[in-house]
Amino acid sequence: MDQSPLSPRRQFLKGGAIAAATAAFAAGQTRGQETPPAADATADAGPMPMVGPAKPAAPQSTAQVADEYDGFSRYKPSRGDNPDGDYYCGKLVPGFRSLDAGPAPFVAPDLDKLPYVVKDGVKEFELVAQPVTREFLPGIKMNVWGFNGSMPGPTIEITQGDRIRIIVHNELPEETTVHWHGFEMPVQYDGSMTLTQNPIQPGQTYVYEFSVHEEGTFFYHTHVAMQEAFGMIGWIIVHPRKPHDPPVDRDFGLLFQNFQIQPNQSIADSWSMDWNWHTINGRSGPFATPLVVKHGERVRVRLMNFSPMQHHPIHMHGHTFWLTAHEGARAPKSSWIPRNTELIAVAQASVFEFVANNPGDWMFHCHMVHHMMNHMVRPPGPHIRQNNNVDAYLANLDQRPAVDFVHTDKGFDTPGYPQGMKGMKMSEEFLQRVWSRREVQGMRAPWPMSIAGLMTALRVLPEDLYHRVMETDEQIPKGAIFEEIVNRFGDPATYKKAPMMGHHGSH
């Protein structure tokens, strides 16, 4: 165990001026998280609406966790001494949360949780299938289909052993059903249209009820193909009756979707075999809210792909993670795989865990080129004329004007140049919405230009900086948190601040 007084955690705890942040850390929670309900399949508690977060449980004391395990450091990039050992690349390094505190609450950024009441020992949820409006980017609203006013629908969070009842109301203009993807329940509640049940007609209601013996990462979705392409899906997270060891401090979910929506439309073309809009939990980068964690925490991320027909190689910068589960069940520890990129096929989920030992703002994204862009469409008009002037073309629509391929830019001497995308400017109103969230405070000013489509960010912050970002109302200057991390952990002598770029929000 590393007992050095210079460890980042001990440096922090010695600072009396930041004692408030230490107290916040003892709560072990991100702002807005909710403690998962305990299993109760028998007691009649009467109506018990779930409103607001419960009091969080305290994590383990710092004496119960170490800074270093067999050569792997909780606070700096490292591998460990033994590839066959339990702690290589952080494999079984525990988080700060105690096993006795129960599983960490699940957080799907930009999505709500579905409340429930308990009736005769059954957790009862109400789910409404309906057309909804979803704001993919600030000011860019799309007409999609979802549940309870959201696309994806709200998260159902339960515990292994629960008996659940989901009352589904159909407010769509056509019939539908809901499938509980991955659950082993009585066949009549499976939700396969006409195979196992009659369709739910518009204006009608159907009740699904079953006991849950599984634990893991699941989801619900319509079982009408074209409705799936319109976005009708939501998380179902089943916490284990006995929390997994090692415990995690954070449990996030990112749900990936694709849509084909033409520039002059707000409605997806569900017949399309190509896709130009990409969302994470219903938002496109840079509007998808980043994941924010504390330096040294153990983090779980659940990735789910509900794209109509495209896979996603998801890469996380700055860290190595262990694949611990898929959508079927948690994998035995002997089969875990260390990776930094995971390929997720349609209708599959992957779960990975890692120790956040590398401070910074790290990109987290699909690695397919066209999935790293928003609303990618071929621009109209001539493409290779200098300055893209189309006046000659508009003056005579019957004859294409001659191409004057004269350029002063030496880059055009290189075959294939240029490859830059145009039309990426962001208005001040757009940027104000992007910057309005606590999770992005103190990031570099141009960061919104680097994240688009199926892209978001993972922020690993020392405890005092986490406190400033997530637990105060302080308006933090652009770049301030990033620069402080460079000063503490990087090479400040070679770091250059972001340039003043106007529409990038650098000011």
Side-chain angles (χ1 to χ4, degrees):
M1 181 185 300
D2 176 17
Q3 299 296 337
S4 168
L6 297 179
S7 73
R9 182 172 181 78
R10 291 187 178 88
Q11 284 182 345
F12 171 76
L13 293 175
K14 289 176 65 177
I18 47 181
T22 306
F25 175 74
Q29 300 292 311
T30 301
R31 176 175 55 86
Q33 291 184 346
E34 171 184 295
T35 299
D40 182 1
T42 56
D44 181 7
M48 294 176 59
M50 294 293 290
V51 290
K55 183 179 180 180
Q60 304 177 107
S61 68
T62 55
Q64 293 177 283
V65 298
D67 291 350
E68 186 172 310
Y69 292 78
D70 195 17
F72 176 85
S73 172
R74 181 187 299 279
Y75 291 110
K76 62 183 179 181
S78 50
R79 290 290 190 187
D81 298 331
N82 181 10
D84 296 320
D86 288 342
Y87 303 114
Y88 189 69
C89 292
K91 183 177 182 180
L92 299 184
V93 172
F96 297 106
R97 187 182 183 87
S98 169
L99 279 172
D100 296 335
F106 175 76
V107 175
D110 306 314
L111 295 177
D112 294 327
K113 293 180 182 178
L114 188 63
Y116 66 84
V117 295
V118 178
K119 293 184 178 179
D120 299 323
V122 180
K123 291 181 177 177
E124 184 175 284
F125 300 84
E126 293 204 38
L127 201 60
V128 182
Q130 59 189 185
V132 302
T133 300
R134 184 66 171 176
E135 196 173 23
F136 285 11
L137 288 171
I140 301 178
K141 298 179 180 180
M142 298 301 180
N143 298 110
V144 290
W145 287 8
F147 298 91
N148 296 57
S150 177
M151 191 292 302
T155 297
I156 295 176
E157 187 176 17
I158 56 178
T159 301
Q160 184 181 18
D162 283 347
R163 185 168 182 83
I164 60 174
R165 179 184 302 125
I166 305 102
I167 303 171
V168 176
H169 307 280
N170 183 11
E171 293 185 359
L172 298 172
E174 62 186 34
E175 58 192 22
T176 191
T177 61
V178 178
H179 172 57
W180 316 98
H181 195 106
F183 287 98
E184 301 163 356
M185 80 285 281
V187 68
Q188 71 190 79
Y189 298 123
D190 183 61
S192 300
M193 172 93 69
T194 71
L195 178 65
T196 62
Q197 72 169 86
N198 297 327
I200 309 172
Q201 298 298 324
Q204 299 299 306
T205 296
Y206 189 84
V207 179
Y208 300 85
E209 183 171 332
F210 53 93
S211 296
V212 178
H213 67 269
E214 303 91 345
E215 60 80 21
T217 304
F218 302 93
F219 51 100
Y220 62 89
H221 64 87
T222 176
H223 221 268
V224 179
M226 294 303 187
Q227 293 176 4
E228 292 184 30
F230 264 57
M232 296 186 68
I233 183 177
W235 291 101
I236 304 181
I237 301 301
V238 186
H239 292 288
R241 186 184 294 109
K242 179 181 179 181
H244 294 312
D245 191 15
V248 300
D249 301 296
R250 309 281 175 174
D251 190 351
F252 293 108
L254 301 178
L255 198 160
F256 303 99
Q257 294 170 277
N258 299 141
F259 302 88
Q260 173 64 23
I261 305 176
Q262 293 300 317
N264 60 343
Q265 295 289 326
S266 63
I267 301 172
D269 180 0
S270 60
W271 285 20
S272 176
M273 302 292 283
D274 197 8
W275 317 95
N276 65 338
W277 272 99
H278 313 287
T279 61
I280 300 175
N281 291 349
R283 287 184 174 181
S284 297
F287 203 35
T289 299
L291 312 182
V292 187
V293 305
K294 294 178 183 177
H295 190 196
E297 288 185 324
R298 185 178 180 92
V299 180
R300 175 185 297 127
V301 179
R302 309 174 195 242
L303 307 175
M304 218 292 289
N305 179 11
F306 201 65
S307 303
M309 59 183 295
Q310 295 187 335
H311 62 277
H312 299 302
I314 304 300
H315 174 52
M316 183 175 67
H317 293 204
H319 293 80
T320 298
F321 54 76
W322 286 88
L323 285 174
T324 61
H326 287 284
E327 72 285 346
R330 187 170 174 90
K333 293 182 176 68
S334 59
S335 67
W336 291 6
I337 302 173
R339 307 200 68 168
N340 56 54
T341 305
E342 166 68 351
L343 181 65
I344 308 172
V346 174
Q348 291 185 352
S350 290
V351 182
F352 63 74
E353 298 177 18
F354 65 98
V355 175
N357 62 358
N358 198 1
D361 297 339
W362 301 104
M363 194 172 287
F364 194 166
H365 65 99
C366 177
H367 224 286
M368 294 185 72
V369 173
H370 289 183
H371 291 186
M372 292 187 277
M373 307 173 193
N374 293 322
H375 52 83
M376 184 176 181
V377 295
R378 290 187 177 276
H383 299 170
I384 62 174
R385 290 161 184 75
Q386 194 166 15
N387 300 321
N388 293 302
N389 191 319
V390 297
D391 291 344
Y393 176 72
L394 295 175
N396 186 355
L397 298 180
D398 296 326
Q399 180 179 355
R400 184 169 62 184
V403 176
D404 180 13
F405 196 62
V406 177
H407 296 278
T408 58
D409 189 337
K410 284 293 185 180
F412 281 92
D413 294 339
T414 303
Y417 177 90
Q419 285 294 305
M421 296 292 292
K422 296 186 180 297
M424 299 297 288
K425 291 185 178 181
M426 301 177 183
S427 68
E428 286 300 317
E429 181 180 0
F430 182 106
L431 286 167
Q432 287 174 6
R433 292 285 305 284
V434 168
W435 282 101
S436 66
R437 299 159 296 169
R438 292 302 310 173
E439 290 85 351
V440 306
Q441 291 292 300
M443 294 179 71
R444 278 171 55 90
W447 79 266
M449 293 301 296
S450 66
I451 291 182
L454 282 176
M455 306 179 76
T456 185
L458 166 74
R459 304 191 72 188
V460 178
L461 306 180
E463 292 182 47
D464 60 324
L465 300 185
Y466 179 95
H467 173 68
R468 289 181 62 192
V469 170
M470 297 297 294
E471 298 168 340
T472 75
D473 295 326
E474 176 187 355
Q475 291 302 306
I476 304 173
K478 294 178 175 66
I481 298 295
F482 188 91
E483 290 171 20
E484 180 60 24
I485 289 175
V486 171
N487 288 335
R488 297 186 192 182
F489 304 96
D491 188 353
T494 62
Y495 176 70
K496 295 183 179 180
K497 295 185 177 182
M500 304 293 285
M501 300 178 69
H503 65 266
H504 289 178
S506 299
H507 49 71

